[in-house]
Amino acid sequence: RKEVEQDPGPFNVPEGATVAFNCTYSNSASQSFFWYRQDCRKEPKLLMSVYSSGNEDGRFTAQLNRASQYISLLIRDSKLSDSATYLCVVNDQAGTALIFGKGTTLSVSS
Amino acid sequence: DAGITQSPRYKITETGRQVTLMCHQTWSHSYMFWYRQDLGHGLRLIYYSAAADITDKGEVPDGYVVSRSKTENFPLTLESATRSQTSVYFCASSEMGRTGGFFGQGTRLTVV
């Protein structure tokens, strides 16, 4: 079983739509969770950390369900500039490195 | 400027040659990482380092060598390049292993 699994998409949505991405992870001992964003042919960039209580940053909301080993990212009021690949990330069993999912591609159209 | 830089940005090399990819960070982060990114595989960890002179293998270490004599530098060497090592290589650093990391711009390596 892959450590971090994501629906690859693509998700094609119109501007203003709300879209949700899901991610599952296999290591129940993982302590750190993140969402990264990667634009085509660019480096991944940290979008936000994910906490058990859930956290919000503007139009972006991240949720963590430890019991189900499930992470989500909700994007409200999608913008054209949100088009990118979103990577779900958890730390490895030793807690020393980050393990990336393969990413979910989002395309927002006008 | 503070940040993490990789060099070269693009490299074409021949099968069997040794090639070294450089990574330099100015934050004094303890942890540094090397990933490769290929279509269908996503980002895979090659090696990482928790501090100077401490390195450890990741998911796909075969064919690669790393060193970390100084905190700010973490070079990755392909001892004898193979076509399967054609990829985009990203270096990253973070204050602690379990915190979010920051990535360099990547090195696009082609082995012919």
Side-chain angles (χ1 to χ4, degrees), chain A residues 32 36 38 41 43 98 102, chain B residues 35 37 40 98 101 104 108:
Chain A
S32 301
Y36 275 70
Q38 185 174 28
R41 301 176 72 83
E43 75 273 22
L98 299 180
K102 292 183 181 181
Chain B
Y35 291 88
Q37 187 171 35
R98 60 181 181 273
R108 297 187 180 280

Side-chain angles (χ1 to χ4, degrees), chain A residues 15-47:
Chain A
E15 277 186 290
T18 295
V19 61
F21 305 138
N22 303 318
C23 166
T24 57
Y25 61 95
S26 61
N27 178 17
S28 59
S30 294
Q31 294 295 320
S32 301
F33 309 91
F34 308 93
W35 282 102
Y36 275 70
R37 169 193 170 127
Q38 185 174 28
D39 294 287
C40 188
R41 301 176 72 83
K42 297 285 186 68
E43 75 273 22
K45 293 185 178 178
L46 179 62
L47 180 66

